Amino acid sequence: MEIRGDSSVKPCFFLVISIIRIQNQARNDSSELFSIHHDGEKMMAVKKTSAKKKAAPKASPKKATVKKSTAAPNAKAIPTKQTKTQIINSIAEDTGLTKKDVAAVFGSLSNLIEGHMKKRGSGEFTIPDSGVKIRRVKKPATKSRKMVSPFTGEEITVKAKPARNVIKVAPLKALKDAVTK
């Protein structure tokens, strides 16, 4: 991935980079079809004109370097719930992207999540640098059964339920740690 411009790229922009990398990996192509440009005012992903496959470099026995987290060091508390427009405006201001570009990133992220959750999809998606994992869980069918109602003490019949897919969203360690601070 090629990043041009100053090195103080905002953390939200790494979401765009992650999505572009995922799209490149989905193509099973070792060459990257997009490059990231930063001209001081705005950042954009630009499609490369010539994408040639390169031979993978041989791994040399070097010491592993520790990669620093790209998340914001201390996020400020936001006392009120934000609307979609407010969220897009806030991210556009923080990253220097246009509102249209930020909306396009969210649209692409939505499409990626939907693709993973479909019947033949992987069934699991982790949003990079956010601490959120989304999973598809298959619930088995249940038979109808009789039970005692906890409210009235009467015996009631519970209807049968068909097999179904349920979406579960779970926080990861990074998000849990951010909340407990």
Side-chain angles (χ1 to χ4, degrees), residues 62-176:
K62 292 183 180 178
K63 291 183 179 180
T65 58
V66 178
K67 196 173 188 180
K68 293 184 180 180
S69 176
T70 58
N74 289 324
K76 294 180 182 179
I78 301 171
T80 58
K81 179 182 166 188
Q82 289 185 323
T83 63
K84 179 182 175 182
T85 305
Q86 290 171 331
I87 292 169
I88 289 174
N89 289 341
S90 176
I91 292 173
E93 289 173 10
D94 289 347
T95 60
L97 293 169
T98 64
K99 294 175 191 174
K100 189 175 182 180
D101 290 341
V102 174
V105 168
F106 277 112
S108 177
L109 183 63
S110 175
N111 289 339
L112 279 173
I113 293 170
E114 186 178 330
H116 282 273
M117 296 301 125
K118 287 198 176 213
K119 186 174 184 175
R120 293 185 182 224
S122 67
E124 191 171 292
F125 186 79
T126 303
I127 301 174
D129 297 333
S130 70
V132 177
K133 180 184 264 186
I134 304 168
R135 294 180 299 131
R136 179 187 67 225
V137 179
K138 294 179 181 177
K139 293 277 189 172
T142 59
K143 296 179 181 178
S144 64
R145 63 188 193 280
K146 292 185 179 184
M147 66 175 279
V148 177
S149 172
F151 302 109
T152 62
E154 297 177 13
E155 190 173 281
I156 59 172
T157 303
V158 178
K159 294 180 182 178
K161 293 182 182 177
R164 61 210 176 275
N165 288 321
V166 179
I167 302 297
K168 300 272 185 174
V169 179
L172 298 176
K173 187 177 185 305
L175 184 59
K176 289 178 186 177

Side-chain angles (χ1 to χ4, degrees), residues 32-73:
E32 295 176 342
L33 299 178
F34 293 93
S35 64
I36 309 301
H37 296 278
H38 175 52
D39 62 351
E41 294 181 16
K42 64 179 183 176
M43 299 175 206
M44 65 181 87
V46 178
K47 191 169 185 176
K48 288 187 177 180
T49 54
S50 61
K52 296 180 182 178
K53 290 188 178 183
K54 296 180 181 178
K58 292 184 179 180
S60 60
K62 292 183 180 178
K63 291 183 179 180
T65 58
V66 178
K67 196 173 188 180
K68 293 184 180 180
S69 176
T70 58

